[in-house]
Amino acid sequence: MDSTDEVIIERRGSAGIIRLNRPKALNSLTLPMVRVIASVLDEFGADPAIASVIVMGEGERGFCAGGDIRLLHQSGKEGSDGAETFWREEFRLNHAISRYPKPYVVLMDGITMGGGVGLSSHGSHRVVTERTRLAMPETGIGYFPDVGATWLLPRAPGEAGTWMGLTGLAVGAADAIHAGLADCCVASPALPALVEAIAALPASASAEDVRALIRTMAVDAGESRLAVNRDVIDRAFAGDTVEEILQALAGEPGEFVAETAGVIAGRSPTSLKLTLRLLRAGRTSANLAECLNRELGACMGILYNHDFYEGVRAAVIDKDRNPKWSPASLSQVRPGDIDRFFVAAQPPLFTT
C-alpha cells in the first residue's frame, strides 16, 4: 500500500483509515497526498475485509485547509505544469469520492476549507463538530470555489450556496448541515469512540448500518445562521449579476446584511463575477463531472489572472491582507474578461 509521511494509512477492524498528516500546514493537500489518497481508496474499495473508510486530519486545528496554495502560486509564476497536474488529479479524486462504493466517513473537525470541502462534502457520511469552520474562501484570493463546489453550492437550499460562494465566509456545523455539505454533528471529544465503533462493525456492514451508528452519537448542531436569514439571503442573492445582488443588499436592513455587503465589497471583482457565473452554470449542469470540467478550464484561466497572484501574495506570502485588485471595481470588469475563463481545458477531465 502506498504511504507518505503526509498521509497515515491504517487498518483497524473493518475500517480503512486515512489520516492527513500536515498539522502545521492545517493538513493542506499536496500532489503526493492526493495520489496516496486516490491509490488507497482504490485498494480499500477492492478489499472485502474493509467495510468503510474513515478520513480525518491530524492535529486539533483542522481537517484540511485546502490545496497548498503556495505551490500553485509558484507553479503559475514559473509557468510549469505543476498546478494543472495538481488540479487534474485533485478533481479526479473529488469525483471518485462522490462515486465511492463503500461508506466514506469523513470527520470535518476544525478548519475545512477549499480542497478540504472537496475531500469531505462529496462523501456519503459527513460528520461535523462544534469546532468545524467550513468555507470556500476563494474570492478573497482572486480565485473561485472549485473542487466541485460549483455543483455542491447551487444545490444548497435557496441561495445559501450563492452567499457562501461570493462571501467566502466560514460557517459552523449547523450551517454546513443546512447547506447540504454535511450530514450530522458529533461532539469532537466523541470522535475517537466513533472511529472505534465504526471499526468494530462487521465487514458486511452496509451504508445504512454506518449511518445508523453515527446517528446514535450525534448531537444537536444548534441554530443555523443561514437558516435564520434564509428569507433575506434568497431575496438578495437571486440576481444573476453581482451588481444586482449588492443593490438588493443595499435595500435590506440588519447587521447580517451589512456584514455580507461589506465582505463582498472587499473581494476580487473578477473572482466575484466569475464565481457567480460558475454557480449559475452549475445550477443547470447534469452532473458533477460537467462542473469539474468547467472548473478545470477556469483554473487554466486563473494562471493568467493578476488577481490570483495578488490575492495569494496578500493572504499567504506577505500577509498584509491588503490586495490590490485589477480591475479594482465591478464596473471595470468586462464580459470578455470573464468569457476567457470558459475555454474548455484540453483534454477534458471527463467525457460527459
Side-chain angles (χ1 to χ4, degrees), residues 63 94 97-98 104 106 108 112 114-128 134-136 147-149 151-153 164 176-177 179-183 288:
F63 166 64
N94 300 144
I97 290 168
S98 76
Y104 179 96
V106 59
M108 303 155 71
T112 303
V117 176
L119 273 185
S120 54
S121 291
H122 295 296
S124 59
H125 298 66
R126 305 161 302 174
V127 177
V128 286
L134 183 148
M136 296 301 298
V147 296
W151 169 258
L152 293 168
L153 294 179
M164 291 185 70
I177 293 170
L181 301 175
D183 301 304
L288 171 62

Side-chain angles (χ1 to χ4, degrees), residues 189-319:
L191 292 180
L194 176 60
V195 171
E196 292 301 325
I198 293 172
L201 289 170
S204 59
S206 68
E208 186 51 44
D209 293 332
V210 176
R211 187 170 293 109
L213 173 58
I214 296 172
R215 287 195 194 111
T216 67
M217 302 185 68
V219 298
D220 185 357
E223 185 176 71
S224 164
R225 188 165 74 135
L226 295 183
V228 168
N229 291 283
R230 177 168 178 176
D231 288 348
V232 67
I233 290 172
D234 288 357
R235 285 195 303 271
F237 284 82
D240 285 329
T241 69
V242 181
E243 291 89 342
E244 288 172 353
I245 290 171
L246 287 173
Q247 184 176 7
L249 286 169
E252 297 280 356
E255 182 180 340
F256 175 83
V257 169
E259 177 192 8
T260 294
V263 168
I264 292 175
R267 302 311 196 199
S268 159
T270 300
S271 289
L272 289 169
K273 292 204 168 190
L274 172 60
T275 294
L276 184 60
R277 186 161 157 186
L278 286 167
L279 291 175
R280 294 298 187 251
R283 179 174 288 172
T284 58
S285 294
N287 50 48
L288 171 62
E290 184 179 325
C291 289
L292 288 169
N293 276 339
R294 188 183 297 117
E295 289 174 11
L296 182 61
C299 287
M300 297 301 97
I302 283 290
L303 293 177
Y304 300 95
N305 181 47
H306 164 273
D307 280 7
F308 172 63
Y309 299 100
E310 174 62 9
V312 175
R313 180 205 64 75
V316 179
I317 298 174
D318 297 337
K319 298 183 180 180

